[in-house]
Amino acid sequence: MTDTLNIAVLGGDGIGPEVTAEALRALKTAGERFNFKVESESALVGASAVRAGKQPLPDETLKLCLASDAILFGAVGDPAFGDLPPDQLPERALLHLRKGLDLFANLRPVRPVPALLGASSIKAEMLTGVDILIVRELVSGLYFGTPRGYGADEKGRFGFNTMRYHETEIVRVAKVAFDAARKRKKKLCSADKANALEVMQLWRETVTKLGKDSYPDIALNHMYVDNCAMQLVQYPRQFDVLLAENMFGDILSDIGAQITGSLGMLPSASIGGRVGLYEPVHGSAPDIAGKGIANPLAAILSAGMLLTYSAGKLDAAKAIEDAVDAVLADGYRTKDIASQGGANVKVVSTKEMGDAVVAKIRGK
Ligand code: NAD
């Protein structure tokens, strides 16, 4: 063995632990094949922490995360706690973790899998060859800006929020996007609303200057976010890396999710601080938890992103991605994606899908 990756495993609630177990197996198998070791330690988060009499993000969990090389995260959320005030919900753990680890860049690949092209509501011929990386700013902008709240004046009650970005916050997330573009097709599109908002004028100026000064090799274009949303469904192949502030990125990445067509297939990475967090886009799916039927592929693809962004092990990451494509091409399907694939389909459990991916990573 040449080196060791220390992974904090936070399975969380519902199907989180089920899919994270398969992601960890894929990661360890990739390690065996590519000659590195994966050490893992689990910790409580979300409702499972609250049930054990702790905070949604216990101190010891945050401590473990800070001492790790990367975090494999499942999902948090449990309907039994739905009536708690917002600041006590199990889901808050994730926001605290993002803030606590300064995970300012959220990366979501939009790469429709050839075997599942029919799952999207967009025509298959528009999707062939689509490979987009959405980079969303994650810890600032309208969702975090102050002042915020409610007030009242002569016209009655009002609510207000603030979209505020410092240049430094724009530069650091834009660098993540430019660097990613450099490893891909060298194209970056920055979505903004510079025609309506001062903060977005600053965004555009800052991204332009950074591009000119430090990334002259990257073809940069700017797009108003409303046009960008339309272009994403009209002609998605034009995009390589797509950069957006927090709220715009939130919306654009859900459009990206629909391009791929299936929630159980979407991985994500949150990076920027010293320790990256890797999680499927889906939630804890309480309706299917404990039944052994959850699709583990989004979690497994998140483990692949971990290898790319936290370990720089690109061959091992590619082996995971290729293994997922290969099991789908062979007809393996969990129930959620079983309608795609015709007569060739073999409906399998969460664990059986994990077994199939592991076998492919081993080269069998
Ligand atoms: P969800 O993503 O959990 O589920 C939506 C639907 O998709 C459900 O029908 C579910 O069965 C299905 N689904 C999701 N993942 C699947 C998978 N891997 N395989 C097969 N089917 C899958 O969203 P929701 O129902 O809106 O939320 C449930 C809980 O999860 C809530 O408490 C919510 O707050 C939480 N949540 C957490 C995160 C997170 O931890 N990042 C994200 C979204 C929602």
Side-chain angles (χ1 to χ4, degrees):
M1 293 289 175
T2 51
D3 54 351
T4 301
L5 273 180
N6 291 301
I7 306 298
V9 180
L10 276 52
D13 307 322
I15 64 168
E18 302 170 37
V19 296
T20 310
E22 301 311 318
L24 185 61
R25 279 211 299 149
L27 199 59
K28 290 193 167 172
T29 308
E32 284 159 20
R33 175 162 161 207
F34 290 91
N35 211 30
F36 60 90
K37 201 169 173 191
V38 177
E39 297 282 2
S40 61
E41 194 173 327
S42 301
L44 291 173
V45 71
S48 44
V50 176
R51 284 215 165 81
K54 298 168 189 279
Q55 293 295 315
L57 178 63
D59 288 345
E60 60 270 27
T61 299
L62 182 59
K63 218 166 138 193
L64 173 71
C65 292
L66 286 166
S68 304
D69 295 318
I71 303 157
L72 259 189
F73 192 92
V76 280
D78 185 327
F81 294 93
D83 293 336
L84 289 177
D87 60 337
Q88 288 169 35
L89 284 173
E91 287 90 326
R92 277 289 151 138
L94 195 51
L95 293 184
H96 291 315
L97 207 47
R98 286 174 181 162
K99 213 48 183 166
L101 298 170
D102 203 17
L103 300 172
F104 60 80
N106 182 243
L107 274 50
R108 278 206 203 176
V110 177
R111 192 181 67 95
V113 180
L116 296 179
L117 283 188
S120 173
S121 54
I122 298 176
K123 289 190 204 106
E125 68 260 29
M126 299 307 298
L127 297 178
T128 310
V130 168
D131 183 356
I132 307 168
L133 181 70
I134 298 180
V135 179
R136 165 189 168 193
E137 202 287 327
L138 201 59
V139 295
S140 196
L142 196 61
Y143 294 166
F144 289 92
T146 52
R148 62 189 296 162
Y150 299 96
D153 60 15
E154 65 288 351
K155 289 188 194 153
R157 286 187 75 214
F158 60 87
F160 61 102
N161 291 84
T162 303
M163 186 188 282
R164 182 195 307 267
Y165 273 102
H166 284 95
E167 277 178 336
T168 50
E169 292 171 314
I170 302 168
V171 166
R172 66 182 190 168
V173 72
K175 274 185 178 167
V176 170
F178 275 115
D179 286 338
R182 207 168 244 172
K183 293 186 193 134
R184 295 169 49 101
K185 295 186 207 123
K186 299 193 162 43
K187 279 170 63 181
L188 174 62
C189 174
S190 173
D192 64 36
K193 195 68 187 164
N195 50 346
L197 302 171
E198 286 78 0
V199 56
M200 287 289 99
Q201 280 171 359
L202 182 74
W203 180 280
R204 187 174 284 212
E205 270 167 35
T206 308
V207 174
T208 303
K209 180 167 185 328
L210 181 66
K212 263 196 194 127
D213 292 351
S214 306
Y215 298 91
D217 53 322
I218 306 298
L220 169 68
N221 73 308
H222 303 276
M223 213 179 258
Y224 296 133
V225 64
D226 41 349
N227 180 29
C228 186
M230 190 177 71
Q231 299 278 336
L232 259 179
V233 287
Q234 195 178 34
Y235 184 44
R237 247 188 321 266
Q238 69 183 287
F239 295 102
D240 177 19
V241 179
L242 180 52
L243 168 68
E245 71 84 37
N246 202 345
M247 182 179 68
F248 296 163
D250 193 5
I251 297 167
L252 293 177
S253 54
D254 270 25
I255 297 176
Q258 185 47 39
I259 290 176
T260 58
S262 176
L263 199 51
M265 296 296 306
L266 293 168
S268 79
S270 300
I271 61 170
R274 201 193 61 75
V275 187
L277 181 144
Y278 301 85
E279 59 170 332
V281 167
H282 62 74
S284 57
D287 52 330
I288 57 165
K291 296 186 178 163
I293 58 170
N295 183 347
L297 295 178
I300 291 173
L301 289 167
S302 303
M305 293 188 81
L306 183 157
L307 289 172
T308 300
Y309 293 101
S310 281
K313 298 191 183 300
L314 303 188
D315 290 351
K318 174 110 182 22
I320 290 184
E321 261 182 34
D322 288 349
V324 168
D325 284 354
V327 296
L328 290 169
D330 284 353
Y332 289 94
R333 301 281 189 277
T334 41
K335 207 172 154 212
D336 56 307
I337 50 173
S339 65
Q340 299 298 316
N344 187 24
V345 161
K346 308 175 201 44
V347 180
V348 293
S349 67
T350 308
K351 164 97 178 29
E352 287 163 340
M353 184 62 103
D355 290 342
V357 172
V358 161
K360 291 285 182 196
I361 297 171
R362 289 201 178 111
K364 287 179 187 153

